[in-house]
Amino acid sequence: MVIDFQDRAVATLRARVAEVEEANQDLIAFARGHSGAVAAIHAAVLAAIEADSLEHLVHIVTQDWPDILGVDAVALALHVGETGLRADSNGLNYVDRRVIGRIMRGLEGVVLRGVEQGHPLFGPAAPLIRAEALVRLDHPAPHACGLIALGQRAEQRFETRHGSELLAFLGATLARMVGRWLLP
C-alpha cells in the first residue's frame, strides 16, 4: 500500500501560506492605521504650537482638532494652581478647580471606550457620542492637570496600547502649553 503524502503536504502548505498572507495583510493595515494616527497626533500638536493665546489654543483644540484627529468632538477641563477652565465647541469658561476634580474622579490614565452617551464634559454633544477617549492629565506643578475628552458619533473598537500612548503624548503636550498662559 502506497500512501500519497505529497498531496496532503501541498494542501497543508497552501493553507499555511494563506494564513500567513492574511496575517500579513492585517499587519499592513494596522501599520497604515498606526502611521495615520501618529501623523494626526503630530499635526494636532503642530497646530497647537501655533497658538498665540490661551483662547486661540482652546479654539484650535475644540474647533480644529476634531478635523485633524478625525473625531466629532473635543472638550477639556484643566486647572493650573487655583485657576480652572472648561472648554468645548461652545467656548471657554473659567470654573472652580474643584469642579475639575469631580470630573476627573474615577478615571485613570487613558480610557478608550464605547458608550451609550458621552462624558458630561462634552456638554450638549454628550448624547451624540458613542465612542470616547478620556485622557487624564496628572502633571506636577506648574503644568496643567485635568482631562481631555475626544468623542465620535460612530461606534469604534479601539486598539488600546498604541492609541493610549499617542493620546497620553497629546495630553501632556497640551497640559504644558496651557500652563504657559495660566501660570501666575
Side-chain angles (χ1 to χ4, degrees):
M1 172 180 219
V2 176
I3 301 175
D4 187 5
F5 290 108
Q6 183 177 358
D7 289 340
R8 189 172 206 178
V10 168
T12 301
L13 285 174
R14 283 187 178 142
R16 287 185 181 168
V17 166
E19 288 173 10
V20 168
E21 183 61 31
E22 184 178 341
N24 236 4
Q25 292 303 318
D26 290 346
L27 184 59
I28 289 169
F30 170 77
R32 286 182 181 145
H34 183 67
S35 175
V38 169
I41 296 292
H42 288 171
V45 169
L46 289 173
I49 288 171
E50 297 296 321
D52 56 13
S53 67
L54 178 60
E55 291 76 16
H56 188 207
L57 177 62
V58 168
H59 174 83
I60 290 168
V61 169
T62 60
Q63 305 298 319
D64 297 344
W65 278 13
D67 289 334
I68 294 169
L69 298 172
V71 296
D72 295 308
V74 177
L76 62 129
L78 302 168
H79 72 81
V80 173
E82 295 303 312
T83 304
L85 65 89
R86 183 201 166 282
D88 62 19
S89 61
N90 294 320
L92 169 69
N93 300 302
Y94 287 92
V95 297
D96 187 306
R97 75 181 299 272
R98 292 176 293 195
V99 170
I100 297 166
R102 285 192 297 273
I103 289 172
M104 294 170 56
R105 192 170 298 132
L107 293 170
E108 297 296 326
V110 176
V111 177
L112 305 168
R113 62 188 180 191
V115 294
E116 290 185 25
Q117 178 169 318
H119 192 279
L121 185 57
F122 288 113
L128 305 173
I129 302 299
R130 295 295 172 261
E132 62 187 15
L134 305 174
V135 183
R136 184 179 169 125
L137 306 174
D138 289 312
H139 298 286
H143 302 297
C145 292
L147 181 70
I148 302 170
L150 298 98
Q152 34 186 81
R153 291 181 175 148
E155 293 180 15
Q156 177 84 20
R157 286 186 7 198
F158 293 104
E159 195 290 306
T160 57
R161 190 181 59 135
H162 296 294
S164 295
E165 292 169 0
L166 290 169
L167 291 172
F169 169 75
L170 184 67
T173 301
L174 180 62
R176 284 163 175 76
M177 294 183 73
V178 167
R180 292 190 305 187
W181 289 292
L182 291 182
L183 289 173

